Amino acid sequence: MAIAGHSNGYTTAALAFTLAVVSVSATVSLYRWRRRGEDLECRIEELEKSLGSTREKSASERRGRVKAQQALREALSQSESNDLHNTIYPMRPIGTIQSCFSTRNGTPRQPLLVSLARACLKFDQALVPPASLEGLEEYSHCWIIYVFHLNTDIEKLWRKPSQSKLKAKVRVPRLNGERKGVFATRSPHRPCPIGLTVAKVEEVQKDRILLSGVDLVDGTPVLDIKPYLPYSDSIQGASVPNWVKEECLLAVASVTFSDTFSSSITSCWKLIEKKSLYSSADEFKSLITQVLSWDIRSMSQRNKPQDTSDADSSIVYHLVLEGLDVSYMIDNESNILVQDVSLPNNLEEDVAAT
Amino acid sequence: MAIAGHSNGYTTAALAFTLAVVSVSATVSLYRWRRRGEDLECRIEELEKSLGSTREKSASERRGRVKAQQALREALSQSESNDLHNTIYPMRPIGTIQSCFSTRNGTPRQPLLVSLARACLKFDQALVPPASLEGLEEYSHCWIIYVFHLNTDIEKLWRKPSQSKLKAKVRVPRLNGERKGVFATRSPHRPCPIGLTVAKVEEVQKDRILLSGVDLVDGTPVLDIKPYLPYSDSIQGASVPNWVKEECLLAVASVTFSDTFSSSITSCWKLIEKKSLYSSADEFKSLITQVLSWDIRSMSQRNKPQDTSDADSSIVYHLVLEGLDVSYMIDNESNILVQDVSLPNNLEEDVAAT
């Protein structure tokens, strides 16, 4: 029995030992596994974070790509639409006009009216080699095809032709504002703002030609020049409506110069002498006389005096020639007094009350 | 002693039990933790996979965006360069010419030479409302400013002006090929391929005008029309070099029609009658006479007979009027025999040996 008791004790102790070993080992690996789990959770957190940010990045890249591609499609479709219908021709000027007429105001309404009106057409060397002018000097006159670059609506006309509302009829100065279809006039405001004028060929140089009798404003872009051919350009018996007959031009009675002018011109001339198209102050003075011998005022300007008939003598008009501001007055009998000449403070083309 | 043995057995049992409980619970939570670890590993695998693909996606989006933006920059820089220097003006035709001259060959070298030469200028309704033509009918003649659209080099001129090598001098037919500067001529091959011609205004309708005396080929795009103003357009005493005097035009001795022609014209006329600018086969025949009364052959064509003087009578020239192919011969005394008229198989403008 005592033995039995002994053997029993042994068994229990062995079992207990085994269990102890098992539970210890279990606890150890349990601990290991718990640690591993924690590591894995950290890794997952990292992964989830970087996945989120990468997704965001990808989305913004996508937005950028889509945006750029849309803009590209637009840009291309525009140029394409021009090519496809082939209804738009890009015209590159062959040169630019340097004219005695610094502003539109005072620029004659027709060519050869002011024989002293001079201009120099400077060519774009890349487009016009000197050889291409050979023979032009044999002609007395040439046509000048140019762009009405001062049209205020011109930018819009190029950018959004559909939106630029062009008037079908224009007021005709000679008809005191009565309106005619634009194609029955030489108005600058036409669907294709191309001007046509003729000038006297004074001298042909290698990169420029000197012209006279021009009605072009300074800075005019020129698209083409062609020799004047009397046998096809001068049409015998061509008829026009009465309202455009030459006599309709408004000639003034007289042009005289004030003493103020005479003293001013000497000093002013020194400032422009070098770059001027004229050789002397007197020659420049003759230009002024020629330009003012036709009433160059706009209709609104002409009509003003009638509104305030007593104050009309106080109205001073301005004209910019060779960069100089020429001020003058005109009385009811259309006698012109050239008052003064000066460097323009602002090239105002409109009436300035004194 | 038995009691002692008993109490010892109890203690061991209790200990064993406790240990058993511990080890079991440990094993259970160990199992739980192992499962958890496996789940986490799966999740990590997933995350790593989707992270990789998202990174790839993002990269390709980026490539797409960059590519599109580069293309956009290019497209914009091109149009910008035009705007900035503002040296290129896009010109949109106001209409298109329907002319009796189907091809360049036979089209007169100057206006008003062939009084029966008719054309109809059909306007782009969007640009030319009927009101804009009001008053044009009061003029006998008008200028037509157009594009030399048949110039073979024109496409290149628009696309790559820098690369299109334009000849500075051109051969002058009247000088049997002597060369003059392009600006001393009316040659179509000019830096700005704009043509200038004048025509008689026959009738002004709401969307078109009928013209005569034209020297324009069918399909010519028109940029502008202007009334002809004799007081400024017709210059008295304008001088030209001898080589462009009107007499230099090469008139032919006579124009006669073969019997073949007379029989052909009747059947041909039926085909074009409806859309023709002419009212009868006889009127069309008079047009042919007028057109052929000047030697319209190109220099190379004129010179050929001299090369093979015995065979010259066998050379048949072609001319396409109102879409009909008119064939004719010319002898050394420049007497013309109109041989036949037919629907052109191919609108060849050059000599065709029989």
Side-chain angles (χ1 to χ4, degrees):
Chain A
M1 158 134 193
I3 294 155
H6 261 227
S7 70
N8 189 4
Y10 276 121
T11 327
T12 320
L15 169 64
F17 175 76
T18 315
L19 286 172
V21 168
V22 168
S23 66
V24 165
S25 75
T27 314
V28 167
S29 60
L30 170 60
Y31 169 76
R32 207 189 294 109
W33 275 106
R34 193 180 250 128
R35 277 295 308 282
R36 177 106 194 283
E38 280 158 0
D39 293 351
L40 293 175
E41 274 167 336
C42 290
R43 173 88 180 109
I44 288 174
E45 214 171 87
E46 283 166 19
L47 281 172
E48 282 174 337
K49 205 177 279 158
S50 62
L51 178 61
S53 68
T54 313
R55 282 213 176 103
E56 221 164 70
K57 186 146 158 290
S58 169
S60 77
E61 290 288 3
R62 183 161 198 298
R63 283 192 296 274
R65 195 205 75 213
V66 171
K67 207 166 152 197
Q69 286 176 331
Q70 281 172 343
L72 176 62
R73 258 196 304 284
E74 240 168 65
L76 291 179
S77 69
Q78 275 174 8
S79 57
E80 261 168 19
S81 69
N82 299 355
D83 304 348
L84 289 179
H85 315 316
N86 197 20
T87 58
I88 293 182
Y89 295 93
M91 296 291 180
R92 177 188 299 261
I94 60 170
T96 309
I97 287 285
Q98 177 201 346
S99 164
C100 61
F101 300 109
S102 309
T103 64
R104 263 175 306 186
N105 178 41
T107 306
R109 295 211 184 85
Q110 59 178 266
L112 309 180
L113 206 59
V114 178
S115 62
L116 273 171
R118 291 183 191 159
C120 168
L121 170 50
K122 292 175 179 165
F123 292 107
D124 176 340
Q125 300 279 46
L127 292 174
V128 183
S132 62
L133 299 172
E134 279 180 34
L136 182 60
E137 72 285 349
E138 298 179 78
Y139 299 85
S140 63
H141 296 75
C142 75
W143 291 108
I144 299 159
I145 295 173
Y146 61 98
V147 177
F148 288 114
H149 69 303
L150 291 184
N151 284 3
T152 49
D153 56 0
I154 206 164
E155 265 303 306
K156 203 173 180 186
L157 194 65
W158 304 140
R159 301 280 159 278
K160 312 191 177 62
S162 52
Q163 285 180 34
S164 69
K165 280 271 148 286
L166 211 76
K167 288 200 187 66
K169 301 177 102 183
V170 295
R171 299 196 175 282
V172 180
R174 294 172 173 188
L175 287 175
N176 290 310
E178 195 191 310
R179 294 160 80 238
K180 291 281 179 183
V182 63
F183 290 113
T185 76
R186 295 282 192 108
S187 161
H189 302 286
R190 25 208 335 120
C192 231
I194 294 180
L196 172 67
T197 190
V198 70
K200 196 160 182 312
V201 179
E202 292 291 344
E203 192 183 340
V204 178
Q205 299 172 358
K206 67 179 237 308
D207 64 341
R208 64 192 61 197
I209 56 179
L210 303 181
L211 305 162
S212 68
V214 300
D215 59 354
L216 295 169
V217 67
D218 191 56
T220 297
V222 173
L223 297 177
D224 194 19
I225 55 169
K226 299 176 189 289
Y228 183 89
L229 306 176
Y231 60 78
S232 61
D233 296 334
S234 177
I235 300 171
Q236 302 315 314
S239 64
V240 299
N242 291 327
W243 57 269
V244 291
K245 291 257 164 59
E246 192 160 15
E247 306 77 61
C248 298
L249 270 175
L250 306 150
V252 301
S254 72
V255 179
T256 54
F257 293 81
S258 72
D259 300 342
T260 327
F261 176 90
S262 311
S263 52
S264 307
I265 186 64
T266 331
S267 52
C268 281
W269 181 253
K270 289 193 183 65
L271 302 168
I272 65 160
E273 200 164 19
K274 280 181 192 54
K275 56 173 177 44
S276 176
L277 295 158
Y278 299 85
S279 57
S280 71
D282 281 350
E283 198 176 43
F284 180 66
K285 197 172 161 186
S286 327
L287 169 69
I288 297 174
T289 311
Q290 276 195 11
V291 170
L292 290 178
S293 57
W294 306 102
D295 193 335
I296 60 173
R297 295 173 302 166
S298 70
M299 254 179 319
S300 57
Q301 290 176 352
R302 273 208 303 283
N303 297 338
K304 263 207 188 59
Q306 286 137 34
D307 312 342
T308 62
S309 48
D310 60 322
D312 61 6
S313 65
S314 74
I315 293 183
V316 176
Y317 298 97
H318 290 262
L319 164 69
V320 185
L321 294 172
E322 291 285 271
L324 292 182
D325 182 307
V326 176
S327 54
Y328 66 97
M329 301 196 207
I330 182 164
D331 65 19
N332 289 335
E333 288 69 43
S334 68
N335 297 298
I336 284 185
L337 174 66
V338 181
Q339 202 189 42
D340 200 357
V341 59
S342 64
L343 275 184
N345 31 23
N346 56 336
L347 300 183
E348 58 199 341
E349 292 182 37
D350 290 325
V351 178
T354 47
Chain B
M1 160 114 190
I3 290 153
H6 261 224
S7 71
N8 188 0
Y10 276 121
T11 324
T12 325
L15 169 62
F17 177 74
T18 313
L19 286 172
V21 168
V22 169
S23 68
V24 164
S25 76
T27 315
V28 166
S29 61
L30 169 60
Y31 170 75
R32 209 191 293 108
W33 275 106
R34 191 178 252 130
R35 278 293 309 280
R36 177 104 194 283
E38 281 156 1
D39 293 350
L40 292 175
E41 274 165 337
C42 291
R43 174 90 179 105
I44 287 175
E45 216 172 89
E46 284 166 19
L47 282 171
E48 283 174 336
K49 204 177 286 158
S50 63
L51 179 59
S53 67
T54 312
R55 282 210 175 105
E56 220 164 74
K57 186 148 159 286
S58 170
S60 77
E61 291 288 3
R62 183 160 198 301
R63 285 193 295 276
R65 195 204 73 214
V66 171
K67 206 166 151 202
Q69 286 175 332
Q70 280 171 344
L72 176 60
R73 259 196 305 285
E74 239 168 65
L76 291 179
S77 70
Q78 276 174 8
S79 58
E80 259 169 21
S81 69
N82 299 357
D83 303 349
L84 288 179
H85 316 316
N86 197 20
T87 57
I88 293 182
Y89 295 92
M91 295 291 179
R92 178 188 299 258
I94 59 170
T96 309
I97 287 286
Q98 177 202 344
S99 165
C100 61
F101 301 108
S102 309
T103 65
R104 263 174 306 186
N105 177 43
T107 306
R109 295 210 184 87
Q110 59 178 264
L112 307 180
L113 207 58
V114 177
S115 62
L116 273 173
R118 292 184 191 159
C120 168
L121 170 49
K122 291 176 179 167
F123 292 106
D124 175 342
Q125 299 278 47
L127 293 174
V128 182
S132 62
L133 299 172
E134 279 180 33
L136 182 60
E137 73 284 350
E138 298 180 79
Y139 299 85
S140 63
H141 296 75
C142 75
W143 290 108
I144 299 159
I145 295 173
Y146 61 97
V147 177
F148 287 115
H149 69 303
L150 291 184
N151 284 4
T152 50
D153 56 358
I154 205 165
E155 264 305 304
K156 201 172 180 189
L157 194 66
W158 303 143
R159 300 283 160 276
K160 313 189 177 64
S162 53
Q163 285 181 34
S164 68
K165 280 271 148 288
L166 212 76
K167 289 200 186 69
K169 299 177 104 183
V170 294
R171 299 195 175 283
V172 181
R174 294 170 176 190
L175 287 174
N176 291 306
E178 196 192 308
R179 294 160 77 237
K180 291 281 177 181
V182 62
F183 290 114
T185 76
R186 295 281 191 111
S187 161
H189 301 286
R190 24 211 331 123
C192 232
I194 293 180
L196 173 67
T197 190
V198 71
K200 196 160 183 312
V201 178
E202 292 292 344
E203 190 183 343
V204 178
Q205 300 173 356
K206 67 181 237 309
D207 64 342
R208 65 192 59 197
I209 55 179
L210 303 180
L211 305 161
S212 68
V214 299
D215 60 353
L216 295 169
V217 68
D218 190 57
T220 297
V222 172
L223 297 177
D224 193 19
I225 55 169
K226 299 176 187 291
Y228 183 89
L229 305 176
Y231 60 79
S232 61
D233 297 332
S234 177
I235 301 172
Q236 303 313 315
S239 64
V240 299
N242 292 328
W243 57 270
V244 292
K245 290 259 164 62
E246 193 159 13
E247 306 76 62
C248 296
L249 270 176
L250 305 150
V252 301
S254 72
V255 179
T256 53
F257 292 82
S258 73
D259 299 343
T260 325
F261 176 91
S262 310
S263 53
S264 306
I265 186 63
T266 330
S267 53
C268 280
W269 181 252
K270 288 192 182 66
L271 302 169
I272 65 159
E273 198 165 21
K274 282 182 188 56
K275 57 174 175 46
S276 175
L277 294 157
Y278 299 84
S279 56
S280 71
D282 282 348
E283 198 176 41
F284 179 65
K285 197 172 160 185
S286 326
L287 170 69
I288 298 174
T289 312
Q290 277 195 11
V291 170
L292 291 180
S293 57
W294 307 101
D295 194 335
I296 60 173
R297 295 174 302 166
S298 70
M299 253 179 323
S300 57
Q301 290 176 352
R302 271 209 303 282
N303 298 337
K304 265 209 189 58
Q306 285 139 33
D307 312 342
T308 61
S309 48
D310 61 324
D312 60 6
S313 65
S314 75
I315 293 182
V316 176
Y317 299 97
H318 290 261
L319 163 69
V320 185
L321 294 173
E322 291 284 271
L324 293 181
D325 183 308
V326 177
S327 55
Y328 66 97
M329 301 195 205
I330 182 164
D331 65 19
N332 288 336
E333 287 68 44
S334 69
N335 297 297
I336 284 186
L337 174 66
V338 181
Q339 203 189 40
D340 201 358
V341 59
S342 64
L343 273 184
N345 31 21
N346 57 334
L347 300 183
E348 58 200 340
E349 290 182 39
D350 291 325
V351 178
T354 46

